[in-house]
Amino acid sequence: MSLAVGKGPFGPKRGGDFNFDPKALKPHTLYFEESPKRVRAYFGGEVVADSRQTKLLHETAIMPVYYFPEKDVRLDLAEPSDHTTYCPFKGDAVYYTFPGEGGENILWTYPNPGPDAVYLEGYYAFYFGRMERWMEEEEEILGHPRDPYHRMDVLKGSSSVEVRVGGEVVAKSRNPTVLFETGFPARYYIPRSDVDRDALSATETRTVCPYKGVASYYTVKAGGVVVRDAAWSYPDPFSEAARVEDHLCFNDGAEGVEVAVGG
């Protein structure tokens, strides 16, 4: 999550209250700040950006985006493109293409940004998901840039948890691990020993979280009901989420899945 995403203080669904009239805020928020990390972007086997002066742009309903100063981008490897886009909050963007598959219009800049985004002049950004690799310092990052305002606490739970699918109990535990994460509801991770493994079958679905790692998913079949990708786990979680290793979490928002948390 982010300052400007979801329930963040400047997000469209902010969950808190200000000590002033929030109508004084612009309906679309931009916040541009320095990042203390060295950030590198790779494409076509090359480091195409490497900077210790990277900036993060926070923008309403959009995950943070890295912006690099021009001197730290390998523009010598790129070709200007005829492609342009217009943003009513930032202005007209021009694009650059890098040689290789997926490199078309992968980099953009705002040469003459609008009056509310003048600080973007001289900075360049890449489409995160189209790059080969991203590094913060000497650690690879996945999914999207890590938000400095995002927090995650993984705690031993004190509640009992029961999961039913199709009315049948597929998991029951008095020893859950609870993951509290900015902008998300509490997630209850159940030890595998407390899950009916016969009800699970692995799928090929994978999702990436820059804070937890790569999640693997399971279809759950019980009570005559089959719910695809109803449960997930992190087989090799990042250090921040190490305590959920060998645990499963069930999607209580999926039709046919009920997660009951007791006292």
Side-chain angles (χ1 to χ4, degrees):
M1 299 301 286
S2 166
L3 281 172
V5 174
K7 294 184 177 180
F10 303 116
K13 299 179 180 179
R14 57 178 172 269
D17 297 305
F18 293 111
N19 65 344
F20 59 87
D21 185 353
K23 293 180 181 178
L25 291 169
K26 290 189 176 182
H28 193 91
T29 299
L30 300 176
Y31 180 61
F32 200 51
E33 65 171 346
E34 293 182 359
S35 171
K37 303 169 183 175
R38 178 190 180 191
V39 180
R40 281 168 285 170
Y42 291 75
F43 187 80
E46 298 274 359
V47 177
V48 294
D50 183 352
S51 183
R52 293 188 179 275
Q53 296 175 310
T54 315
K55 300 254 188 167
L56 271 175
L57 178 66
H58 303 265
E59 182 173 358
T60 298
I62 299 175
M63 299 308 295
V65 176
Y66 286 127
Y67 276 77
F68 295 88
E70 180 175 345
K71 66 182 179 60
D72 294 333
V73 179
R74 291 292 307 274
L75 292 176
D76 58 306
L77 300 177
E79 291 289 337
S81 167
D82 293 332
H83 182 65
T84 61
T85 58
Y86 171 71
C87 170
F89 313 106
K90 300 188 291 292
D92 292 298
V94 299
Y95 288 75
Y96 292 79
T97 291
F98 279 81
E101 185 177 354
E104 185 177 3
N105 302 324
I106 202 171
L107 172 70
W108 72 87
T109 187
Y110 292 91
N112 296 291
D116 290 336
V118 292
Y119 39 69
L120 292 178
E121 186 175 357
Y123 283 87
Y124 292 72
F126 294 90
Y127 283 109
F128 191 95
R130 290 170 59 186
M131 307 303 288
E132 287 178 355
R133 193 182 189 199
W134 287 88
M135 300 286 287
E136 286 183 344
E137 298 294 337
E138 295 303 315
E139 298 285 339
E140 185 169 7
I141 57 170
L142 306 172
H144 59 76
R146 290 179 178 175
D147 189 329
Y149 306 102
H150 186 101
R151 182 177 176 86
M152 187 172 65
D153 293 308
V154 187
L155 307 175
K156 284 294 182 184
S158 58
S159 302
S160 61
V161 182
E162 184 175 277
V163 182
R164 292 177 177 267
V165 173
E168 289 189 6
V169 176
V170 296
K172 188 173 184 178
S173 181
R174 293 185 176 274
N175 188 35
T177 295
V178 192
L179 193 148
F180 299 93
E181 187 171 5
T182 303
F184 293 96
R187 297 293 193 188
Y188 290 82
Y189 283 77
I190 299 173
R192 284 184 182 272
S193 57
D194 293 337
V195 177
D196 178 5
R197 301 187 195 188
D198 292 336
L200 304 179
S201 57
T203 74
E204 296 180 354
T205 302
R206 300 290 184 271
T207 59
V208 174
C209 170
Y211 312 104
K212 298 187 292 292
V214 180
S216 300
Y217 284 75
Y218 301 85
T219 288
V220 183
K221 181 179 180 180
V225 172
V226 178
V227 186
R228 181 174 174 82
D229 295 335
W232 66 87
S233 68
Y234 288 91
D236 187 22
F238 294 153
S239 58
E240 299 95 322
R243 296 175 80 175
V244 302
E245 186 175 1
D246 208 30
H247 288 60
L248 286 103
C249 187
F250 290 81
N251 182 7
D252 60 344
E255 186 174 354
V257 179
E258 301 172 73
V259 179
V261 180

